[in-house]
Amino acid sequence: MTARLPSLNGLRAFEAAARHLSFTNAASELNVTQTAISHQIRRLEEELGMRLFVRQNRALALTPQAKAYLPGVRAAFNDLRLATDRLLRRDDGHVLTVSTLASLAAKWLLPRLSKFQESHPGIDVRITTSTSLVDFRNGDVDAAIRYGRGHWSGLRADWLMADELFPVCSPALLKAGKPLRCPEDLANWTLLHSSGGYDDDWRLWLTAAGLPADISKQPGLSFDLILMTVQAAIDGLGVAMGRTSYVEADIASGRLVVPFKITLPADAGFYLVSPEGKSDPPKLAAFRQWLQASVQNKT
């Protein structure tokens, strides 16, 4: 026999009161009176046949049964919020959701996004960051900026830009006691590394520069986001392997310098990816056109 679901209002009151451990704060959040919260909790307890809250030294505490019940209730409300957001987003032709890497968003996309908003004030752009591949079937994301060679089955991939690899550092390091005049000097410096697909950058560049790849294995610092690696270089913690899209703004502003002239073309690049075989909604067509123009004009 299927169990009857408790009152939705009672569950909302329980979740809010359990999160705040306060009927007063729960009432404020739900825009009702504290008395209403008390009544809803009492009714829920009667429906479930158990107590959910106890008073301890003037503080509100959850009973063991409530502690076990809360994660499921909270997950259910989160699922409802996500489902509602997904439904409204699907019906809203003015909301464009773009997925990309956190570092690319911070160092390259966000500084440019205001120009898109100025040109298209009616489009509400939402940026989400993830290292995972986007599943376009659930409808949460309209497009993604991916790094690779452009071959993803079932997806349309529009070329944006490539990167070059080259060392970068703070201008202060060039004035330090140790020399940094030629690539061989790197053996005496702390190297800053990025993981998450960039683990091999130093080895590739060192090999192209005719230096022993083992230099990349000397003690250094490693970060899981290239954004953090770039910031560490700006802060003078060592020499980082830069990629054009992540460091060009910092070089232009003087926060970073390029100590050597040797650059290495990356063997992949960034693409704007979207579902294949579907006509673009106007919001995505506008974003694609602006993004490609922005890359070509270096703006």
Side-chain angles (χ1 to χ4, degrees), residues 89-118:
R89 200 182 309 165
R90 186 176 295 126
D91 290 343
D92 189 348
H94 301 293
V95 177
L96 177 71
T97 303
V98 180
S99 173
T100 186
L101 300 171
S103 295
L104 186 69
K107 301 299 291 185
W108 188 85
L109 181 58
L110 296 185
R112 293 166 167 78
L113 204 54
S114 61
K115 294 185 177 179
F116 177 78
Q117 292 178 310
E118 290 172 4

Side-chain angles (χ1 to χ4, degrees), residues 28-71:
S28 176
E29 177 183 315
L30 300 179
N31 199 28
V32 297
T33 65
Q34 182 178 348
T35 301
I37 293 291
S38 298
H39 285 317
Q40 289 168 0
I41 295 295
R42 188 177 306 114
R43 179 183 173 189
L44 179 62
E45 290 177 329
E46 291 172 354
E47 289 182 279
L48 297 174
M50 64 185 69
R51 295 190 66 185
L52 298 173
F53 294 94
V54 292
R55 293 282 181 182
Q56 294 180 345
N57 299 325
R58 297 183 180 179
L60 195 64
L62 295 172
T63 64
Q65 294 89 340
K67 289 180 180 179
Y69 192 39
L70 179 60

Side-chain angles (χ1 to χ4, degrees), residues 42-218:
R42 188 177 306 114
R43 179 183 173 189
L44 179 62
E45 290 177 329
E46 291 172 354
E47 289 182 279
L48 297 174
M50 64 185 69
R51 295 190 66 185
L52 298 173
F53 294 94
V54 292
R55 293 282 181 182
Q56 294 180 345
N57 299 325
R58 297 183 180 179
L60 195 64
L62 295 172
T63 64
Q65 294 89 340
K67 289 180 180 179
Y69 192 39
L70 179 60
V73 173
R74 184 166 291 162
F77 275 110
N78 283 337
D79 286 344
L80 282 172
R81 292 186 188 102
L82 288 173
T84 303
D85 181 66
R86 189 179 300 127
L87 174 66
L88 296 177
R89 200 182 309 165
R90 186 176 295 126
D91 290 343
D92 189 348
H94 301 293
V95 177
L96 177 71
T97 303
V98 180
S99 173
T100 186
L101 300 171
S103 295
L104 186 69
K107 301 299 291 185
W108 188 85
L109 181 58
L110 296 185
R112 293 166 167 78
L113 204 54
S114 61
K115 294 185 177 179
F116 177 78
Q117 292 178 310
E118 290 172 4
S119 302
H120 303 86
I123 299 177
D124 179 10
V125 181
R126 299 180 182 177
I127 304 299
T128 178
T129 62
S130 174
T131 57
S132 302
L133 297 181
V134 174
D135 181 1
F136 289 103
R137 291 172 297 182
N138 63 22
D140 287 342
V141 175
D142 297 295
I145 300 177
R146 283 186 181 173
Y147 184 80
R149 293 179 174 82
H151 305 299
W152 294 287
S153 177
L155 299 179
R156 171 179 173 176
D158 292 281
W159 170 257
L160 295 177
M161 58 187 173
D163 274 334
E164 288 186 326
L165 280 64
F166 46 88
V168 293
C169 65
S170 165
L173 261 64
L174 299 182
K175 303 174 184 177
K178 293 185 294 184
L180 189 57
R181 291 186 290 269
C182 61
E184 287 79 3
D185 292 334
L186 289 169
N188 301 316
W189 285 90
T190 298
L191 301 188
L192 307 176
H193 302 266
S194 302
S195 56
Y198 307 106
D199 312 67
D200 218 24
D201 283 3
W202 266 115
R203 185 190 65 80
L204 292 172
W205 185 88
L206 288 166
T207 301
L211 297 175
D214 284 349
I215 293 178
S216 66
K217 298 178 182 179
Q218 66 193 41

